[in-house]
Amino acid sequence: MDVLKEEIDLKKLPRHIAIIMDGNGRWAQEKGQDRLFGHFHGVESVRDIVEGCAELGIGYLTLYAFSTENWDRPAYEVTGLMELLVETIRKEVETLNKNNIRLHVIGDMSMLPDYASMELKEALEFTAGNTGLNLVMALSYSSRWELTEAVRNLARDVQTEKLDPDAITQDTLQQYLSTRDFPDPELMIRTSGEYRISNFLLYQLAYAELYFTSVRWPDFRKKNLYEAILDFQGRERRFGKTSAQIQQDLMAPGTTF
Ligand code: IPE
Ligand code: IPE
Ligand code: MG
């Protein structure tokens, strides 16, 4: 594992890693256990990956913990997940603080039960002064919800003449997203063998490198994170340009053909 870690080029780290933590249910069912058992074990992976990112010096880690669509799961699973969330935050907030980690949340907080949103609010305030890793929990989040909210708020500002439609740029739109304070993810990881985005950061992932692994989330550890980062570092990110242009830019930054 340390061998893998040493192979990582610390000057070429992704600034922002986003993860769709998938496969908890299947992991549990394969062991003849209840789905909640999988979610429970998934917390150990969260702990390990947060620690791994903080140790490497990653700036932002966004974890997809619960989607807008996940509210439609059986009530016992939803309740179990909410309780697990509250319990985990309560237990981990001291450790986050000690490690200079700042917690953020994106998503529709109005959907959360009161006890969960109160716990979260406290944790957000508690870690607000930290300057190390930014840990963003996507909770009751979906991209289409976020974009709908953004359009609604933007329309309001146009209506009250705070915003001139002709002056709207990509930067303006970005200011209305829940991720306005974060750079776009450069690496997106999805565990458990599904090759889809499932309503996660659709706008922000425009140029992210996508990494899929069959490893189920409760088995995902630092070693797997390092493998994903090494894979990322082996890719050529072209942003619409040609490979030759990218090579030229690397030799003489700032110059283009
Ligand atoms: C991901 O695991 C966690 C959440 C969506 C909350 P799943 O619960 O989706 O697990 P699978 O995909 O059914 O195995
Ligand atoms: C995406 O996983 C949401 C989270 C990991 C929180 P899902 O398991 O809900 O996605 P689908 O249903 O397989 O697309
Ligand atoms: Mg799933």
Side-chain angles (χ1 to χ4, degrees):
M1 184 176 95
D2 281 344
V3 180
L4 269 183
K5 192 179 174 189
E6 277 158 26
E7 275 180 47
I8 295 175
D9 181 348
L10 296 177
K11 290 192 292 299
K12 279 170 56 185
L13 287 174
R15 239 184 119 194
H16 184 172
I17 300 178
I19 307 183
I20 301 179
M21 309 184 289
D22 199 17
N24 294 352
R26 276 164 285 173
W27 183 88
Q29 281 161 343
E30 281 154 11
K31 294 182 159 42
Q33 301 277 352
D34 184 80
R35 296 177 56 83
L36 283 176
F37 181 74
H39 296 314
F40 186 76
H41 278 273
V43 175
E44 286 165 31
S45 305
V46 171
R47 211 176 281 128
D48 203 53
I49 296 315
V50 169
E51 192 181 281
C53 285
E55 283 167 358
L56 282 172
I58 300 288
Y60 299 82
L61 171 66
T62 297
L63 297 177
Y64 204 5
F66 193 85
S67 74
T68 310
E69 290 74 21
N70 290 150
W71 287 113
D72 294 332
R73 290 197 178 187
Y76 96 95
E77 186 173 343
V78 171
T79 310
L81 274 164
M82 287 303 134
E83 283 168 4
L84 183 62
L85 169 81
V86 170
E87 193 189 302
T88 306
I89 288 175
R90 196 173 294 152
K91 270 199 209 147
E92 299 295 326
V93 72
E94 287 287 349
T95 316
L96 294 181
N97 215 29
K98 243 183 258 152
N99 292 306
N100 199 20
I101 298 170
R102 179 170 179 187
L103 185 69
H104 306 262
V105 181
I106 55 171
D108 186 359
M109 291 303 107
S110 71
M111 296 282 286
L112 292 180
D114 284 347
Y115 71 92
S117 48
M118 270 158 53
E119 193 71 40
L120 265 172
K121 200 167 157 263
E122 265 180 43
L124 294 178
E125 283 165 12
F126 196 62
T127 64
N130 293 339
T131 54
L133 173 69
N134 287 284
L135 173 61
V136 185
M137 297 300 291
L139 197 62
S140 185
Y141 171 87
S142 81
S143 220
R144 289 181 177 179
W145 164 82
E146 177 188 37
L147 290 168
T148 309
E149 280 296 296
V151 170
R152 188 179 294 136
N153 288 325
L154 200 142
R156 268 195 207 113
D157 285 350
V158 169
Q159 196 176 35
T160 57
E161 294 185 3
K162 268 210 284 191
L163 190 63
D164 170 9
D166 291 326
I168 295 173
T169 62
Q170 289 190 17
D171 285 342
T172 319
L173 176 55
Q174 210 133 4
Q175 288 310 309
Y176 286 86
L177 299 176
S178 343
T179 53
R180 67 186 73 84
D181 297 327
F182 321 130
D184 286 344
E186 294 189 288
L187 169 62
M188 196 288 285
I189 300 171
R190 182 168 188 153
T191 60
S192 206
E194 305 299 345
Y195 298 86
R196 54 179 173 262
I197 306 289
S198 300
N199 220 347
F200 185 46
L201 301 172
L202 298 178
Y203 183 86
Q204 298 86 340
L205 291 175
Y207 274 102
E209 294 298 326
L210 308 181
Y211 180 87
F212 298 96
T213 170
S214 59
V215 176
R216 307 246 186 262
W217 178 251
D219 286 330
F220 196 86
R221 288 292 180 272
K222 283 180 195 174
K223 166 183 166 291
N224 308 97
L225 173 75
Y226 300 153
E227 280 167 356
I229 294 175
L230 284 168
D231 190 272
F232 167 86
Q233 292 189 331
R235 300 193 193 182
E236 182 179 65
R237 306 188 69 206
R238 289 197 282 274
F239 301 98
K241 293 187 186 179
T242 66
S243 185
Q245 284 175 299
I246 300 299
Q247 293 308 319
Q248 171 101 355
D249 278 356
L250 283 176
M251 282 185 288
T255 59
T256 40
F257 293 177

